[in-house]
Amino acid sequence: MDWIISDELGLTVGHLVGWGAASAMIVGGVAPYIPQYRQIKKTQDAEGFSLYVCLTLLIANTLRILFWFGKRYELPLLIQSIVMNATMFAMIHLCVTVRKKNQIIRARERIFTGAIFMLYILLCCVNGSAQPDETAHWLGQRSGIVGGEKPHRFYDMDRKYFWAWTDFQSYVDCMLVFSVLGAALTYLLIEFSPFVELIGFLAVFTEAMLGAPQIAKNHQNKSTEGMSVSMVIMWTCGDLFKTAYFVIREAPTQFWVCGALQVLLDIVILFQVWLYRHNTAAARRLRRGD
């Protein structure tokens, strides 16, 4: 029953439920990463958490933000995407910091330098008097990477170093380049309906594949040690709620179809928790020195 709570404000139970659901959508997406963040901070071990989870969510939510400009959907979903991107950068910063602390032997630096590289190309094009070597040296001084062993860079085209960089700024640069290129393309094709629909599909499909990197990580380790089970349980509950929200609120079809796929992958991860339970227990005993 749609009871009137206040005649003056016109508040109804339906309004309160709607606001509560919208708030849950915004906060609920972030909540699963709180136990994972605390576990990494407590154990100082980030090896069990796949940073490709962060990449997946950063791409998905950046595309969803771009999709909003072409096809306006509910504002809480837009706010959720912004909050989620901030959360993923916090997770990346923690993981990079922990992995640096755990290095016994200092490894060769791996950096993206996307913004620096684009600036290098620009300067070489517009400044005919500047020699490429001189420009590269100037950029190296600005970035603090001149001298010592030459770091691995993104444009070395070595796939194994992608999204495995040793400094946080590289992850920010990578997403900045992706966002700028995506925004430029969206601006040019904003009136082309199939392109806008494609962005929407790619956004929710990428998010639906969120569990895939963690599934691969667990399969590779034959263990779920380092992965927060609480995070996955909260993923599952949140994805069930989110999919139901999409259906009830009549969100674009791409949203609820891919939401159902996301729930399926969550179930696969929970199955891995059961499948690798003995290996996980052994890994924990080894870490504790039992």
Side-chain angles (χ1 to χ4, degrees):
M1 179 181 288
D2 200 20
W3 297 330
I4 300 297
I5 303 299
S6 169
D7 291 333
E8 183 179 350
L9 297 177
L11 293 178
T12 66
V13 171
H15 289 145
L16 295 176
V17 171
W19 293 343
S23 300
M25 281 296 298
I26 295 172
V27 179
V30 175
Y33 299 95
I34 296 175
Q36 181 68 73
Y37 187 94
R38 293 178 62 185
Q39 180 171 326
I40 293 174
K41 199 170 182 64
K42 179 181 178 181
T43 62
Q44 290 296 297
D45 182 6
E47 294 307 316
F49 178 71
S50 173
L51 279 181
Y52 283 99
V53 169
C54 299
L55 174 62
T56 301
L57 279 174
L58 284 169
I59 291 176
N61 285 285
T62 300
L63 289 174
R64 187 191 286 184
I65 293 170
L66 295 176
F67 180 53
W68 186 84
F69 290 97
K71 189 173 183 178
R72 300 297 170 90
Y73 49 82
E74 289 199 338
L75 191 60
L77 297 179
L78 176 64
I79 298 174
Q80 182 204 39
S81 294
I82 297 172
V83 172
M84 183 61 77
N85 277 357
T87 303
M88 289 302 100
F89 278 123
M91 288 293 298
I92 291 171
H93 184 269
L94 175 65
C95 290
V96 170
T97 302
V98 167
R99 288 174 181 176
K100 274 191 172 182
K101 286 182 179 178
N102 291 342
Q103 279 186 350
I104 299 176
I105 302 175
R106 183 174 176 82
R108 186 176 174 185
E109 291 292 316
R110 301 188 299 271
I111 57 177
F112 176 72
T113 60
I116 294 174
F117 182 59
M118 289 194 298
L119 181 58
Y120 167 69
I121 296 297
L122 178 63
L123 286 176
C124 286
C125 290
V126 301
N127 189 357
S129 61
Q131 297 298 320
D133 290 342
E134 294 174 359
T135 309
H137 180 73
W138 178 80
L139 289 170
Q141 287 181 322
R142 295 290 301 216
S143 61
I145 56 176
V146 167
E149 189 176 13
K150 181 182 177 183
H152 291 291
R153 294 183 176 86
F154 171 73
Y155 49 85
D156 291 337
M157 297 304 170
D158 194 333
R159 184 175 59 87
K160 67 180 179 180
Y161 296 123
F162 176 76
W163 208 252
W165 301 305
T166 52
D167 73 316
F168 173 68
Q169 186 62 44
S170 291
Y171 296 91
V172 176
D173 286 347
C174 178
M175 290 310 303
L176 179 62
V177 170
F178 176 79
S179 301
V180 169
L181 293 178
L185 194 59
T186 303
Y187 177 78
L188 294 174
L189 300 174
I190 195 71
E191 301 297 332
F192 187 49
S193 181
F195 174 77
V196 174
E197 294 295 334
L198 177 63
I199 290 180
F201 172 76
L202 290 176
V204 291
F205 180 75
T206 303
E207 184 175 4
M209 299 305 292
L210 168 65
Q214 192 63 56
I215 290 172
K217 185 83 170 179
N218 295 341
H219 178 71
Q220 178 184 355
N221 295 341
K222 294 293 187 293
S223 167
T224 58
E225 169 64 5
M227 182 197 75
S228 171
V229 178
S230 300
M231 177 188 71
V232 181
I233 293 174
M234 293 174 74
W235 269 359
T236 308
C237 295
D239 292 338
L240 285 169
F241 171 80
K242 181 170 61 179
T243 304
Y245 180 88
F246 291 155
V247 173
I248 294 171
R249 301 296 294 181
E250 298 181 351
T253 305
Q254 302 101 313
F255 281 67
W256 65 264
V257 170
C258 292
L261 175 60
Q262 199 165 352
V263 172
L264 179 62
L265 292 180
D266 294 339
I267 294 173
V268 172
I269 297 177
L270 290 174
F271 174 73
Q272 285 184 318
V273 172
W274 174 83
L275 182 65
Y276 300 136
R277 63 190 184 282
H278 297 302
N279 293 348
T280 302
R284 287 174 181 168
R285 287 195 299 269
L286 182 63
R287 179 165 57 83
R288 292 196 303 262
D290 294 349

